[in-house]
Amino acid sequence: MSSNPIKLGIVGVGKIVRDQHLPALAKDQDYRLVAAASRHGKVEDIPNFPTIEAMLDSVPELEAVSLCMPPQFRYDAARLALAAKKHVFLEKPPGATVSEVEDLKALAAANGVCLFASWHSRYAPAVEAARTFLSSTTIRSAAINWKEDVRRWHPNQEWIWAPGGFGVFDPGINALSIATHILPPMFISSAELDFPENRAAPIAAHIAFRTSNGLPVTMELDWRQTGPQSWDILADTEVGSMVLAGGGSKLAIDGRVVHEEPEAEYPMLYKRFAEIVRAGTSDVDLAPLQHVADAFMLGKRNVVEAFFD
């Protein structure tokens, strides 16, 4: 592929697109945003369409699409784009089920185009430093604490409470995308999921993992956190305690900050997408999504009090 800017269309113009995708694309010379499709939102100064079908039909010069709608609707849109031989960027989570994304991988390969599962939290500035530290020592135990206020981060977003909307695993999968990158391979041994009596998706989860060599890893997810938010991964090692805090933005060893940089996750995601498009390959890691599926498969369901935004 040439080094000319990639002609990109974006689908699903909501909060994450306005907060992250559009600012990242505006500064990236690897792309030219040429169209958008959304039932409600619009992007100024480019053609806008009500559906991805209309966008693909009307803008044949599109080379790639970025799919940012809720996960329940991502599979059908991705199939349309891949069948039209467009490269596809999947906002996280890449689909509502593991089997959907497996099918998309096969379809991308059959059509000679690229598929990218964009685990944005893996690109937080201190994640690679944490991975390097943990690979240099012996880990004794680890804990994941991901607790935030759903009212603050997902106001009036009913899709997250519907089947396939993931509930508290919508942010929790960000933690899993980091954990599966920096910790040894792990497997769920037990889980409890707290479902509000008026919701179809969990508001909290309590999970125990083990690794193949017996390393214990616990995970606490909660969407009812008020005050300071908690996005932390902790590890006890033979050379000291590690805290990867702030969703991967700050790394401390024995209380001393050793790595901290400004957040640049989405610019890094689009840089990676351009790399795989130019190289003609795909980047689709299903490990975080598989852990969510395992939690629902193994998890004991607890009914808790009703939750209202």
PDB file of all heavy atoms in Angstrom, residues 169-191:
ATOM      1  N   PHE A 169     -17.988  -5.290  33.012  1.00  0.00           N
ATOM      2  CA  PHE A 169     -16.865  -5.768  32.210  1.00  0.00           C
ATOM      3  C   PHE A 169     -16.543  -4.833  31.050  1.00  0.00           C
ATOM      4  O   PHE A 169     -15.530  -5.037  30.377  1.00  0.00           O
ATOM      5  CB  PHE A 169     -17.138  -7.179  31.697  1.00  0.00           C
ATOM      6  CG  PHE A 169     -17.004  -8.237  32.753  1.00  0.00           C
ATOM      7  CD1 PHE A 169     -18.122  -8.715  33.414  1.00  0.00           C
ATOM      8  CD2 PHE A 169     -15.760  -8.736  33.107  1.00  0.00           C
ATOM      9  CE1 PHE A 169     -18.016  -9.678  34.400  1.00  0.00           C
ATOM     10  CE2 PHE A 169     -15.628  -9.698  34.089  1.00  0.00           C
ATOM     11  CZ  PHE A 169     -16.759 -10.170  34.747  1.00  0.00           C
ATOM     12  N   ASP A 170     -17.388  -3.833  30.798  1.00  0.00           N
ATOM     13  CA  ASP A 170     -17.021  -2.845  29.777  1.00  0.00           C
ATOM     14  C   ASP A 170     -15.740  -2.113  30.188  1.00  0.00           C
ATOM     15  O   ASP A 170     -14.785  -2.059  29.407  1.00  0.00           O
ATOM     16  CB  ASP A 170     -18.169  -1.858  29.535  1.00  0.00           C
ATOM     17  CG  ASP A 170     -17.804  -0.813  28.492  1.00  0.00           C
ATOM     18  OD1 ASP A 170     -17.806  -1.144  27.294  1.00  0.00           O
ATOM     19  OD2 ASP A 170     -17.487   0.331  28.877  1.00  0.00           O
ATOM     20  N   PRO A 171     -15.639  -1.573  31.422  1.00  0.00           N
ATOM     21  CA  PRO A 171     -14.340  -1.088  31.861  1.00  0.00           C
ATOM     22  C   PRO A 171     -13.411  -2.215  32.306  1.00  0.00           C
ATOM     23  O   PRO A 171     -12.193  -2.134  32.143  1.00  0.00           O
ATOM     24  CB  PRO A 171     -14.677  -0.164  33.037  1.00  0.00           C
ATOM     25  CG  PRO A 171     -15.958  -0.699  33.579  1.00  0.00           C
ATOM     26  CD  PRO A 171     -16.719  -1.187  32.367  1.00  0.00           C
ATOM     27  N   GLY A 172     -13.989  -3.291  32.842  1.00  0.00           N
ATOM     28  CA  GLY A 172     -13.158  -4.384  33.336  1.00  0.00           C
ATOM     29  C   GLY A 172     -12.317  -5.032  32.259  1.00  0.00           C
ATOM     30  O   GLY A 172     -11.205  -5.510  32.528  1.00  0.00           O
ATOM     31  N   ILE A 173     -12.798  -5.026  31.031  1.00  0.00           N
ATOM     32  CA  ILE A 173     -12.016  -5.625  29.950  1.00  0.00           C
ATOM     33  C   ILE A 173     -10.776  -4.782  29.649  1.00  0.00           C
ATOM     34  O   ILE A 173      -9.781  -5.297  29.135  1.00  0.00           O
ATOM     35  CB  ILE A 173     -12.885  -5.833  28.691  1.00  0.00           C
ATOM     36  CG1 ILE A 173     -12.316  -6.983  27.844  1.00  0.00           C
ATOM     37  CG2 ILE A 173     -13.035  -4.559  27.882  1.00  0.00           C
ATOM     38  CD1 ILE A 173     -13.235  -7.452  26.738  1.00  0.00           C
ATOM     39  N   ASN A 174     -10.806  -3.501  30.015  1.00  0.00           N
ATOM     40  CA  ASN A 174      -9.585  -2.693  29.911  1.00  0.00           C
ATOM     41  C   ASN A 174      -8.512  -3.233  30.858  1.00  0.00           C
ATOM     42  O   ASN A 174      -7.334  -3.343  30.496  1.00  0.00           O
ATOM     43  CB  ASN A 174      -9.880  -1.235  30.254  1.00  0.00           C
ATOM     44  CG  ASN A 174     -10.765  -0.565  29.247  1.00  0.00           C
ATOM     45  OD1 ASN A 174     -10.813  -0.953  28.086  1.00  0.00           O
ATOM     46  ND2 ASN A 174     -11.490   0.457  29.679  1.00  0.00           N
ATOM     47  N   ALA A 175      -8.932  -3.553  32.087  1.00  0.00           N
ATOM     48  CA  ALA A 175      -7.986  -4.139  33.038  1.00  0.00           C
ATOM     49  C   ALA A 175      -7.449  -5.462  32.523  1.00  0.00           C
ATOM     50  O   ALA A 175      -6.244  -5.753  32.611  1.00  0.00           O
ATOM     51  CB  ALA A 175      -8.677  -4.340  34.390  1.00  0.00           C
ATOM     52  N   LEU A 176      -8.337  -6.283  31.949  1.00  0.00           N
ATOM     53  CA  LEU A 176      -7.908  -7.573  31.417  1.00  0.00           C
ATOM     54  C   LEU A 176      -6.981  -7.411  30.222  1.00  0.00           C
ATOM     55  O   LEU A 176      -6.081  -8.230  30.008  1.00  0.00           O
ATOM     56  CB  LEU A 176      -9.127  -8.408  31.042  1.00  0.00           C
ATOM     57  CG  LEU A 176      -9.935  -8.941  32.225  1.00  0.00           C
ATOM     58  CD1 LEU A 176     -11.264  -9.513  31.758  1.00  0.00           C
ATOM     59  CD2 LEU A 176      -9.141  -9.992  32.998  1.00  0.00           C
ATOM     60  N   SER A 177      -7.182  -6.363  29.435  1.00  0.00           N
ATOM     61  CA  SER A 177      -6.288  -6.160  28.286  1.00  0.00           C
ATOM     62  C   SER A 177      -4.871  -5.851  28.748  1.00  0.00           C
ATOM     63  O   SER A 177      -3.897  -6.240  28.091  1.00  0.00           O
ATOM     64  CB  SER A 177      -6.822  -5.046  27.376  1.00  0.00           C
ATOM     65  OG  SER A 177      -6.678  -3.765  27.952  1.00  0.00           O
ATOM     66  N   ILE A 178      -4.740  -5.164  29.896  1.00  0.00           N
ATOM     67  CA  ILE A 178      -3.413  -4.911  30.464  1.00  0.00           C
ATOM     68  C   ILE A 178      -2.877  -6.171  31.134  1.00  0.00           C
ATOM     69  O   ILE A 178      -1.731  -6.582  30.914  1.00  0.00           O
ATOM     70  CB  ILE A 178      -3.451  -3.755  31.472  1.00  0.00           C
ATOM     71  CG1 ILE A 178      -3.865  -2.444  30.796  1.00  0.00           C
ATOM     72  CG2 ILE A 178      -2.084  -3.587  32.143  1.00  0.00           C
ATOM     73  CD1 ILE A 178      -4.050  -1.278  31.754  1.00  0.00           C
ATOM     74  N   ALA A 179      -3.708  -6.801  31.953  1.00  0.00           N
ATOM     75  CA  ALA A 179      -3.253  -7.970  32.725  1.00  0.00           C
ATOM     76  C   ALA A 179      -2.775  -9.093  31.816  1.00  0.00           C
ATOM     77  O   ALA A 179      -1.762  -9.744  32.093  1.00  0.00           O
ATOM     78  CB  ALA A 179      -4.373  -8.461  33.632  1.00  0.00           C
ATOM     79  N   THR A 180      -3.477  -9.328  30.709  1.00  0.00           N
ATOM     80  CA  THR A 180      -3.070 -10.402  29.799  1.00  0.00           C
ATOM     81  C   THR A 180      -1.805 -10.048  29.033  1.00  0.00           C
ATOM     82  O   THR A 180      -1.181 -10.924  28.430  1.00  0.00           O
ATOM     83  CB  THR A 180      -4.195 -10.742  28.806  1.00  0.00           C
ATOM     84  OG1 THR A 180      -4.619  -9.546  28.133  1.00  0.00           O
ATOM     85  CG2 THR A 180      -5.383 -11.369  29.523  1.00  0.00           C
ATOM     86  N   HIS A 181      -1.417  -8.794  29.076  1.00  0.00           N
ATOM     87  CA  HIS A 181      -0.195  -8.347  28.397  1.00  0.00           C
ATOM     88  C   HIS A 181       1.017  -8.376  29.322  1.00  0.00           C
ATOM     89  O   HIS A 181       2.138  -8.587  28.856  1.00  0.00           O
ATOM     90  CB  HIS A 181      -0.409  -6.928  27.858  1.00  0.00           C
ATOM     91  CG  HIS A 181       0.684  -6.419  26.982  1.00  0.00           C
ATOM     92  ND1 HIS A 181       1.026  -7.019  25.789  1.00  0.00           N
ATOM     93  CD2 HIS A 181       1.514  -5.353  27.114  1.00  0.00           C
ATOM     94  CE1 HIS A 181       2.020  -6.354  25.222  1.00  0.00           C
ATOM     95  NE2 HIS A 181       2.342  -5.343  26.006  1.00  0.00           N
ATOM     96  N   ILE A 182       0.796  -8.171  30.630  1.00  0.00           N
ATOM     97  CA  ILE A 182       1.945  -8.036  31.539  1.00  0.00           C
ATOM     98  C   ILE A 182       2.116  -9.219  32.490  1.00  0.00           C
ATOM     99  O   ILE A 182       3.189  -9.377  33.074  1.00  0.00           O
ATOM    100  CB  ILE A 182       1.867  -6.725  32.348  1.00  0.00           C
ATOM    101  CG1 ILE A 182       0.716  -6.746  33.358  1.00  0.00           C
ATOM    102  CG2 ILE A 182       1.770  -5.514  31.426  1.00  0.00           C
ATOM    103  CD1 ILE A 182       0.681  -5.542  34.296  1.00  0.00           C
ATOM    104  N   LEU A 183       1.076 -10.044  32.675  1.00  0.00           N
ATOM    105  CA  LEU A 183       1.138 -11.168  33.602  1.00  0.00           C
ATOM    106  C   LEU A 183       1.255 -12.483  32.823  1.00  0.00           C
ATOM    107  O   LEU A 183       0.922 -12.544  31.637  1.00  0.00           O
ATOM    108  CB  LEU A 183      -0.111 -11.212  34.478  1.00  0.00           C
ATOM    109  CG  LEU A 183      -0.298 -10.041  35.458  1.00  0.00           C
ATOM    110  CD1 LEU A 183      -1.667 -10.143  36.123  1.00  0.00           C
ATOM    111  CD2 LEU A 183       0.815 -10.028  36.510  1.00  0.00           C
ATOM    112  N   PRO A 184       1.700 -13.550  33.484  1.00  0.00           N
ATOM    113  CA  PRO A 184       1.722 -14.861  32.822  1.00  0.00           C
ATOM    114  C   PRO A 184       0.307 -15.280  32.427  1.00  0.00           C
ATOM    115  O   PRO A 184      -0.683 -14.777  32.974  1.00  0.00           O
ATOM    116  CB  PRO A 184       2.289 -15.787  33.900  1.00  0.00           C
ATOM    117  CG  PRO A 184       2.964 -14.907  34.890  1.00  0.00           C
ATOM    118  CD  PRO A 184       2.228 -13.611  34.867  1.00  0.00           C
ATOM    119  N   PRO A 185       0.171 -16.203  31.459  1.00  0.00           N
ATOM    120  CA  PRO A 185      -1.167 -16.704  31.096  1.00  0.00           C
ATOM    121  C   PRO A 185      -1.926 -17.185  32.328  1.00  0.00           C
ATOM    122  O   PRO A 185      -1.366 -17.869  33.195  1.00  0.00           O
ATOM    123  CB  PRO A 185      -0.856 -17.854  30.139  1.00  0.00           C
ATOM    124  CG  PRO A 185       0.466 -17.504  29.544  1.00  0.00           C
ATOM    125  CD  PRO A 185       1.231 -16.824  30.654  1.00  0.00           C
ATOM    126  N   MET A 186      -3.201 -16.806  32.425  1.00  0.00           N
ATOM    127  CA  MET A 186      -3.975 -17.142  33.616  1.00  0.00           C
ATOM    128  C   MET A 186      -5.351 -17.642  33.218  1.00  0.00           C
ATOM    129  O   MET A 186      -5.817 -17.424  32.092  1.00  0.00           O
ATOM    130  CB  MET A 186      -4.072 -15.916  34.544  1.00  0.00           C
ATOM    131  CG  MET A 186      -4.655 -14.683  33.915  1.00  0.00           C
ATOM    132  SD  MET A 186      -4.455 -13.227  34.997  1.00  0.00           S
ATOM    133  CE  MET A 186      -5.514 -12.052  34.139  1.00  0.00           C
ATOM    134  N   PHE A 187      -6.004 -18.309  34.181  1.00  0.00           N
ATOM    135  CA  PHE A 187      -7.268 -18.965  33.935  1.00  0.00           C
ATOM    136  C   PHE A 187      -8.188 -18.719  35.125  1.00  0.00           C
ATOM    137  O   PHE A 187      -7.741 -18.730  36.276  1.00  0.00           O
ATOM    138  CB  PHE A 187      -7.059 -20.479  33.750  1.00  0.00           C
ATOM    139  CG  PHE A 187      -5.898 -20.817  32.872  1.00  0.00           C
ATOM    140  CD1 PHE A 187      -4.647 -21.084  33.425  1.00  0.00           C
ATOM    141  CD2 PHE A 187      -6.041 -20.817  31.496  1.00  0.00           C
ATOM    142  CE1 PHE A 187      -3.565 -21.362  32.613  1.00  0.00           C
ATOM    143  CE2 PHE A 187      -4.959 -21.100  30.678  1.00  0.00           C
ATOM    144  CZ  PHE A 187      -3.715 -21.376  31.224  1.00  0.00           C
ATOM    145  N   ILE A 188      -9.460 -18.503  34.863  1.00  0.00           N
ATOM    146  CA  ILE A 188     -10.412 -18.252  35.952  1.00  0.00           C
ATOM    147  C   ILE A 188     -10.710 -19.555  36.690  1.00  0.00           C
ATOM    148  O   ILE A 188     -11.038 -20.570  36.077  1.00  0.00           O
ATOM    149  CB  ILE A 188     -11.707 -17.629  35.406  1.00  0.00           C
ATOM    150  CG1 ILE A 188     -11.437 -16.223  34.869  1.00  0.00           C
ATOM    151  CG2 ILE A 188     -12.786 -17.586  36.494  1.00  0.00           C
ATOM    152  CD1 ILE A 188     -12.648 -15.540  34.276  1.00  0.00           C
ATOM    153  N   SER A 189     -10.589 -19.506  38.010  1.00  0.00           N
ATOM    154  CA  SER A 189     -10.939 -20.664  38.833  1.00  0.00           C
ATOM    155  C   SER A 189     -12.295 -20.490  39.510  1.00  0.00           C
ATOM    156  O   SER A 189     -12.984 -21.478  39.794  1.00  0.00           O
ATOM    157  CB  SER A 189      -9.858 -20.937  39.878  1.00  0.00           C
ATOM    158  OG  SER A 189      -9.570 -19.777  40.641  1.00  0.00           O
ATOM    159  N   SER A 190     -12.705 -19.261  39.786  1.00  0.00           N
ATOM    160  CA  SER A 190     -14.030 -19.015  40.352  1.00  0.00           C
ATOM    161  C   SER A 190     -14.407 -17.556  40.114  1.00  0.00           C
ATOM    162  O   SER A 190     -13.537 -16.699  39.921  1.00  0.00           O
ATOM    163  CB  SER A 190     -14.066 -19.322  41.855  1.00  0.00           C
ATOM    164  OG  SER A 190     -13.237 -18.429  42.579  1.00  0.00           O
ATOM    165  N   ALA A 191     -15.713 -17.296  40.116  1.00  0.00           N
ATOM    166  CA  ALA A 191     -16.188 -15.928  39.896  1.00  0.00           C
ATOM    167  C   ALA A 191     -17.572 -15.761  40.503  1.00  0.00           C
ATOM    168  O   ALA A 191     -18.367 -16.707  40.536  1.00  0.00           O
ATOM    169  CB  ALA A 191     -16.232 -15.608  38.402  1.00  0.00           C
TER     170      ALA A 191
END
